[in-house]
Amino acid sequence: MINHPAGPPPAQPSLDLDDGSPPRPARSLTPLPARRRSRLRARPELARLTVLLAAFVCAACGLVYELELVALGDYLLGDSVTQTSVVLSVMVFAMGLGSLLAKRFTRRPATAFALVECALALTGGLSVLAVYSCWAWIGHHQAVMVGLTCLIGVLIGAEIPLLMTLIQRIRREDAGHAAADLFAADYVGALIGGLAFPFLILPVLGPGSGALVTGAVNAVAGAAVVLWLFREEPAPRVRLLLWGGCGLVLALLAAAAAWSGAVERAARQALYGGQVRSVSQSRYQEIVLTGPAEGPLRLYLDGRLAVCGPDEYRGNEGLVHPAMAAGPDARVLLLGGGDGLALREVLRHRGVRSVLVVDRDPALPRLARTDPGLAALSGRSLDDPRVRTALADPLEWLRTVRPGPGESFDVVLADLPAPADGGPVTFHSQEFYGLTTRLLAPGGRLAVRGGDEQHGQKGLWQAESGLRAAGLRTVPYAVAGSATASCRPGPEGSQSFLLAAAAQPPLTLAPDAPPPRALTPDALRASAARLTALRPLHPPAALTLLGPH
């Protein structure tokens, strides 16, 4: 039990460090002038609320910077797991380092916080343009991304110690209570920033402009608010420099916003050449279409060459025609294929009655319908009355659809890039194949891409293991020539595919469609024999959502 001394409790000062007494030996804070102390005594609750609001906004901005870098890394490399892991781990480590470094600057916390926020606003606001420019012109952007992530993390980590010092300078209170309020504002701000990024910032502004706007908000809410509230802490000359620095940061961000369009156009010209027809940034990917109206067209998805006009038929014919020829083909499910090119091959079979296209990104089908060159290349297949479209992630759509009498398909075509070609593991996992198998009608077939053979055949055999684990019999085959040979010099190679069904499917071509340009029955059978001979004695394990990737 704690005994309290008799008599009235001693009066508590309304401002912990500004009551006129000399600083305690354990403290090193610089006392505020008397005029500032009287102003804070007049409305300490409002001053404290203002600091907490600054913490709220700064936390939201910090998380947006983090998510911008994660999203950009995913766009540039197509490996969201790796990019998220790198950015998060480096950011958290750097935040701890920044918290330690901030202990050296708590003597003048308002001045230090203003400098930190100005540096953070400038670094975070320009980070996306800097990484994108390095990727476009230099090609080695990973080191720049890690360096910027580390610097942003150090600056974010310095915020909490300085804000804690500012709150205690306004009014002395229990450290636990002050920390609880500060961390609550910080965490709620992070929640708002995390929700605003995918639903507001990314679809409306995009990564580049979103980072610039976030930097401007950060500078105003962080540096400007604290400088106004604690404007008597720095000397007049230092205060003038701080205000000038804050204004300079805003001016630089505004200039970057004004020139960002020119920077992006120059970067795309360096990447894709001078004939960029269309650029769109959807929630899922960056879509760039290049080439003259008369062709050849090139379609880039997140910087990856997905379609090369003169050669695209090779991959699409190889995916579609063997599967359509192995049995009934009245009802077809096309997973992916929002560009309409594989759909064009499907519709060449006279027995097709209906096709359902499931693609998650509405921007790609919209481009395939509106761009004259891409619409002509696809034969305006998306406008065919037999075609229906569903805007959904293919895996999520497969998980939620309930197979019934009207929801089974004679042919399912997975027009999704193989992991070796930059595609996500999700669409080649055992779970994906198992869900797809539920929708096959009796005698139905499933065709998937195995990848470019130049990248090795491990992905082909992993996909085959997944299909066999789903209870299907498989036959591998290949199509000679690369789908991007005309646009990307190098050896032609070949593309591999897998045809699967409950019973061993025949490998042939159907008479109810024009003869394909890249396929013949003899070439198909020869490629199947070659790949069967190369099948490993102990195939690799199937990819799963929870297994090693």
Side-chain angles (χ1 to χ4, degrees):
M1 180 175 179
I2 300 176
N3 294 323
H4 296 279
Q12 296 293 329
S14 58
L15 274 171
D16 62 323
L17 298 174
D18 303 323
D19 55 358
S21 61
R24 297 183 180 184
R27 306 273 185 171
S28 60
L29 291 170
T30 301
L32 295 178
R35 181 163 57 90
R36 181 61 181 145
R37 295 201 302 269
S38 64
R39 185 181 298 116
L40 287 175
R41 284 193 183 98
R43 308 191 71 176
E45 290 296 334
L46 180 60
R48 186 174 181 278
L49 181 62
T50 303
V51 173
L52 292 176
L53 183 62
F56 168 86
V57 176
C58 291
C61 294
L63 190 63
V64 169
Y65 298 142
E66 186 176 332
L67 294 174
E68 296 278 8
L69 290 174
V70 168
L72 185 64
D74 184 21
Y75 293 158
L76 300 184
L77 292 182
D79 188 351
S80 59
V81 175
T82 300
Q83 297 308 308
T84 303
S85 300
V86 169
V87 171
L88 287 180
S89 57
V90 172
M91 184 81 72
V92 171
F93 165 77
M95 287 171 63
L97 185 61
S99 296
L100 291 175
L101 295 175
K103 294 192 299 184
R104 299 177 175 271
F105 304 100
T106 54
R107 181 174 176 82
R108 296 185 179 275
T111 302
F113 187 79
L115 290 173
V116 165
E117 293 309 301
C118 285
L120 180 58
L122 188 62
T123 305
L126 297 177
S127 60
V128 172
L129 280 179
V131 173
Y132 185 80
S133 298
C134 289
W135 174 71
W137 280 295
I138 302 175
H140 301 287
H141 65 283
Q142 292 91 340
V144 176
M145 176 176 288
V146 171
L148 287 173
T149 300
C150 187
L151 179 56
I152 292 172
V154 167
L155 296 171
I156 292 175
E159 290 176 335
I160 293 296
L162 297 175
L163 286 169
M164 178 68 75
T165 306
L166 291 174
I167 286 182
Q168 293 287 61
R169 181 166 259 189
I170 294 172
R171 186 185 67 191
R172 175 178 293 171
E173 59 181 313
D174 179 78
H177 292 172
D181 291 342
L182 185 58
F183 280 111
D186 185 82
Y187 294 152
V188 174
L191 171 67
I192 299 303
L195 293 177
F197 176 74
F199 297 110
L200 178 63
I201 296 175
L202 192 59
V204 175
L205 299 174
S209 298
L212 293 170
V213 171
T214 302
V217 172
N218 199 165
V220 173
V225 167
V226 171
L227 275 179
W228 171 80
L229 189 62
F230 294 89
R231 54 187 175 274
E232 274 79 16
E233 180 192 281
R237 181 177 299 178
V238 175
R239 183 169 64 248
L240 184 61
L241 290 175
L242 290 173
W243 280 112
C246 185
L248 179 61
V249 168
L250 293 173
L252 290 174
L253 293 175
W259 285 93
S260 63
V263 171
E264 289 185 47
R265 286 191 296 272
R268 291 191 183 106
Q269 197 169 36
L271 284 168
Y272 310 122
Q275 295 178 312
V276 177
R277 297 166 56 89
S278 171
V279 177
S280 60
Q281 177 65 67
S282 72
R283 179 180 173 183
Y284 304 100
Q285 58 192 347
E286 182 187 58
I287 303 172
V288 179
L289 184 65
T290 71
E294 61 276 8
L297 297 180
R298 302 183 186 188
L299 178 66
Y300 296 85
L301 303 177
D302 286 341
R304 175 181 60 85
L305 182 60
V307 173
C308 176
D311 304 294
E312 56 79 22
Y313 69 91
R314 298 179 185 272
N316 292 307
E317 287 183 352
L319 176 70
V320 172
H321 290 291
M324 299 290 288
D329 58 6
R331 289 177 52 81
V332 180
L333 171 63
L334 180 58
L335 301 172
D339 54 20
L341 300 175
L343 179 60
R344 174 200 64 206
E345 301 299 324
V346 171
L347 296 176
R348 287 178 174 171
H349 291 260
R350 292 189 295 272
V352 173
R353 297 291 177 263
S354 67
V355 184
L356 176 60
V357 180
V358 180
D359 197 298
R360 67 176 183 173
D361 193 350
L364 188 55
R366 187 186 312 123
L367 179 65
R369 286 189 175 101
T370 56
D371 182 84
L374 188 55
L377 188 63
S378 67
R380 299 195 176 275
S381 57
L382 289 165
D383 296 328
D384 192 286
R386 294 171 289 177
V387 176
R388 295 182 295 128
T389 57
L391 297 177
D393 179 87
L395 179 61
E396 182 63 20
W397 184 86
L398 289 171
R399 193 185 67 81
T400 56
V401 69
R402 294 292 178 262
E407 291 295 342
S408 60
F409 298 90
D410 300 310
V411 181
V412 178
L413 304 168
D415 188 18
L416 303 163
D421 296 336
V425 172
T426 305
F427 299 140
H428 297 271
S429 63
Q430 185 176 332
E431 292 87 346
F432 182 84
Y433 295 143
L435 291 171
T436 305
T437 303
R438 300 185 308 156
L439 301 182
L440 289 177
R445 290 87 62 205
L446 167 63
V448 302
R449 295 183 183 272
D452 191 330
E453 291 196 50
Q454 289 182 347
H455 298 149
Q457 296 176 344
K458 181 180 178 180
L460 175 68
W461 307 125
Q462 284 180 320
E464 185 177 62
S465 296
L467 291 167
R468 291 189 171 185
L472 301 176
R473 304 284 298 277
T474 60
V475 55
Y477 62 97
V479 175
S482 169
T484 59
S486 298
C487 302
R488 184 178 291 162
E492 285 197 359
S494 60
Q495 306 165 69
S496 59
F497 302 86
L498 285 162
L499 179 60
Q504 189 72 20
L507 197 58
T508 184
L509 296 177
D512 68 337
R517 290 178 284 175
L519 301 173
T520 64
D522 291 340
L524 280 175
R525 287 190 286 269
S527 68
R530 176 177 61 84
L531 289 174
T532 300
L534 294 174
R535 180 184 286 122
L537 184 62
H538 301 287
L543 295 169
T544 66
L545 296 182
L546 298 181
H549 296 161

